[in-house]
Amino acid sequence: MNQGISIHRELPLDPARLIVAELATNAALHGHVPGRSFRLALSVVPPHTLRIELTDTRGDRLPVSPRTTVDGCADSGYGLLLVEELADRWGVRCGPVPSKTVWAELDLAAEARDVTGP
């Protein structure tokens, strides 16, 4: 079932899977416009960074840092807290209108050191 996709052996799959799942869930719940979908892009950016991007068509609904919005009684908002904890960096890029892209990055070199040791 590979379908021509090669996976770099040092990719941090568990954090990446969780981040993709969370960003995709957010796009489906908060970025959905009837008749439109979202786009997932994964890329390895030199020198050693996995970049995850989710683009949806709700540029008018921007996520904010969960550290500033989640209170102890909130029913939602914890997904981006997970992304913030797992990713080395994350953010939002606006446009082109009417879309936005939520992105997260994982440093592959740091993950490889954690797995293989110093």
Side-chain angles (χ1 to χ4, degrees):
M1 291 267 183
N2 186 315
Q3 300 179 353
I5 299 171
S6 67
I7 301 292
H8 191 278
R9 68 180 197 154
E10 295 177 357
L11 291 180
L13 293 179
D14 287 335
R17 287 178 184 155
L18 291 170
I19 291 169
V20 166
E22 190 52 49
L23 294 182
T25 299
N26 285 351
L29 291 175
H30 307 295
H32 181 260
V33 173
R36 300 200 179 194
S37 195
F38 61 83
R39 183 183 74 226
L40 167 66
L42 302 173
S43 57
V44 176
V45 180
H48 304 288
T49 300
L50 174 63
R51 185 169 177 95
I52 302 163
E53 297 182 331
L54 255 290
T55 303
D56 66 47
T57 54
R58 290 296 306 263
D60 59 321
R61 297 186 73 180
L62 300 178
V64 295
S65 173
R67 302 249 182 238
T68 61
T69 59
V70 174
D71 64 33
C73 300
D75 290 332
S76 65
Y78 294 101
L80 283 177
L81 187 60
L82 178 68
V83 170
E84 190 170 273
E85 288 298 317
L86 292 173
D88 292 297
R89 292 163 299 286
W90 78 278
V92 181
R93 185 179 68 239
C94 295
V97 173
S99 64
K100 71 172 175 302
T101 299
V102 181
W103 58 268
E105 293 182 340
L106 293 167
D107 293 333
L108 301 178
E111 292 293 327
R113 278 193 306 273
D114 291 345
V115 171
T116 60

